[in-house]
Amino acid sequence: MSKKNNNTAEVQEPAAKNTPKKKMSKKEKRAIAEQRTKELNQKKTRNYGIGFAFSLVAIAISFLYKPEVGTAMWSYTQMGCYAIMGVAGFFLKNGAKYEENVKRAKTMDMIGLIFIVMCLGMIMAEAVALFMA
């Protein structure tokens, strides 16, 4: 009955922890900052692109059902389009988190909020018009 000796791994770890950390050079800091900027730009572009695509889909659906104006189907379609526009606003608000320019971030956040508020207001208006008439 022999016991396995795990002390060798324990001895090596403290030695690695005691080594002084090397300071990062300016090039390394710049490379890390550029990588972070690139990642933020990708996330921002993806969110804005998805928001724009949802907006286009909502507008296209709205125009496709134009002959149905005045029917219940038209009201339901419009509520769906407004809901899609609300989703687009959510993506615009989410993309504003990754914006580096503070002024542009506030602008995009406000545009997303306007999309969401308009979505909720128009859905309520359509629902009232549909169910009260």
Side-chain angles (χ1 to χ4, degrees):
M1 293 220 217
S2 65
K3 293 183 179 179
K4 292 184 179 179
N5 190 359
N6 290 335
N7 292 338
T8 57
E10 292 175 8
V11 171
Q12 292 175 355
E13 286 181 31
K17 288 182 182 178
N18 291 337
T19 58
K21 292 186 179 180
K22 184 179 120 180
K23 290 186 178 181
M24 293 185 351
S25 67
K26 288 183 180 180
K27 285 183 181 180
E28 290 172 335
K29 288 179 183 179
R30 190 177 316 128
I32 290 172
E34 287 177 8
Q35 179 66 26
R36 183 179 184 282
T37 302
K38 185 184 285 186
E39 289 172 0
L40 290 176
N41 194 24
Q42 286 176 343
K43 289 178 182 180
K44 174 183 69 173
T45 304
R46 181 178 44 221
N47 278 299
Y48 289 164
I50 292 171
F52 183 70
F54 272 116
S55 297
L56 289 179
V57 167
I59 292 168
I61 291 172
S62 180
F63 280 117
L64 286 175
Y65 282 90
K66 197 73 164 175
E68 302 287 331
V69 173
T71 64
M73 182 68 169
W74 167 256
S75 294
Y76 290 124
T77 304
Q78 287 303 301
M79 286 192 291
C81 289
Y82 293 130
I84 293 172
M85 290 297 274
V87 171
F90 170 76
F91 278 106
L92 291 176
K93 274 186 73 61
N94 195 31
K97 290 191 309 189
Y98 304 111
E99 194 70 57
E100 288 182 349
N101 185 349
V102 176
K103 187 174 182 180
R104 181 156 165 86
K106 286 181 181 180
T107 302
M108 293 307 289
D109 189 57
M110 189 58 65
I111 290 172
L113 185 63
I114 289 170
F115 270 52
I116 293 170
V117 169
M118 287 297 294
C119 155
L120 294 174
M122 293 306 292
I123 287 176
M124 286 192 318
E126 285 288 332
V128 167
L130 180 66
F131 296 119
M132 291 296 185

